[in-house]
Every structure is written in structure tokens, then in C-alpha cells.
Amino acid sequence: MKILFTSIALLFPLLSVSQNIEDDHGELDDIFTIVDEVASFPGGWEKWYQFLGENIRYPGEARKKGIEGRVFLTFVVDKEGDLRNIEVQDVGKGVGGGCEEEAIRILEISPKWNPGKIKGQNVNSRISLAINFRLK
């Protein structure tokens, strides 16, 4: 049974600054949803797919039950490129079978990303993407 993983970047900007996070000194710092340069995986989407293919594991329960679907995630790429506030966006009933947990795990082990920028300065920015779980 061959497994196919893909992810779709949902980089459509929202219309405002969404919230604040604490920086390393305990001060609040803005998270931007509109930036001049969108945060990105080091090496671009080709490297992201390579990383995904080398590191993701199809959850056993999902495989046994033939569960497939798309997990939507949002997270913040902070000024240093670390991923924070990783959340699954519930779009209906969810995928289940451990897919959501695996999608979160993959982002948690991800290397640092290239931060988003405004006027050449690194900023905290919110990213949305989807990881597809498909049995083939």
C-alpha cells in the first residue's frame, strides 16, 4: 500500500494583525497576517515536501481504518524562525485516526523557517497550511 502525502500552503492574507505573543523578554509582540515577504520553509516548497516525505508517518489507526483527509493547521513563525502556537483548525468533523496529532508532530520537529518580513525586518507571522493524508 503506497502512501501519498502532500501539503497545501494557504497563504492568503487575512485583513489585520491577529493577536500578540510574548517575546523572549516577556513583552507582547504583534503577530502579522499581512507581510511583505511570507515566512517560508528553508529551501522552499520543494524542500518542505522532501522533509514531509522523509519524516511523516501515516498513523496506524488511520491506515487500519482507511482514513484519509486533510488536516488544516495554523501556526506562528516567530522573528527567529521558530514555530509557535501550532493549532489544528477544525473544519467540520476532523480527520481522526491520529492524523491531526501527526500533522502537529511534523511541524514540531520542523527546522527553523525563514521568518516573514515587513520593510526588510523579521516579524512574527501567522501561516496556514494543510497536510493531506492519502492511502494509495
Side-chain angles (χ1 to χ4, degrees):
M1 183 182 314
K2 187 172 181 178
I3 301 168
L4 173 67
F5 294 102
T6 60
S7 71
I8 300 170
L10 303 172
L11 302 175
F12 304 108
L14 302 176
L15 295 177
S16 64
V17 171
S18 60
Q19 66 183 53
N20 294 318
I21 59 173
E22 282 188 22
D23 66 12
D24 293 337
H25 307 291
E27 296 179 24
L28 291 180
D29 208 359
D30 289 330
I31 299 171
F32 294 89
T33 53
I34 299 174
V35 293
D36 298 335
E37 194 175 315
V38 177
S40 62
F41 189 81
W45 290 112
E46 183 177 322
K47 291 292 186 183
W48 165 248
Y49 293 123
Q50 180 181 347
F51 173 80
L52 196 61
E54 292 171 356
N55 292 284
I56 201 162
R57 296 185 297 253
Y58 211 99
E61 181 183 348
R63 183 191 309 262
K64 257 191 268 185
K65 294 181 178 179
I67 295 173
E68 298 182 335
R70 184 178 292 165
V71 177
F72 293 92
L73 301 141
T74 64
F75 55 97
V76 172
V77 179
D78 71 17
K79 293 176 183 179
E80 288 77 39
D82 293 314
L83 306 189
R84 299 168 144 209
N85 302 25
I86 300 167
E87 298 176 347
V88 172
Q89 298 303 296
D90 186 13
V91 185
K93 63 182 174 88
V95 177
C99 293
E100 286 86 354
E101 292 81 2
E102 180 60 9
I104 290 170
R105 185 192 72 81
I106 259 323
L107 287 178
E108 288 175 341
I109 66 167
S110 171
K112 288 185 179 231
W113 285 43
N114 301 314
K117 295 182 186 251
I118 295 178
K119 296 183 182 175
Q121 297 294 315
N122 291 356
V123 295
N124 302 312
S125 60
R126 181 164 306 285
I127 298 292
S128 296
L129 63 78
I131 297 177
N132 290 316
F133 289 84
R134 297 275 180 254
L135 293 167
K136 202 168 189 178

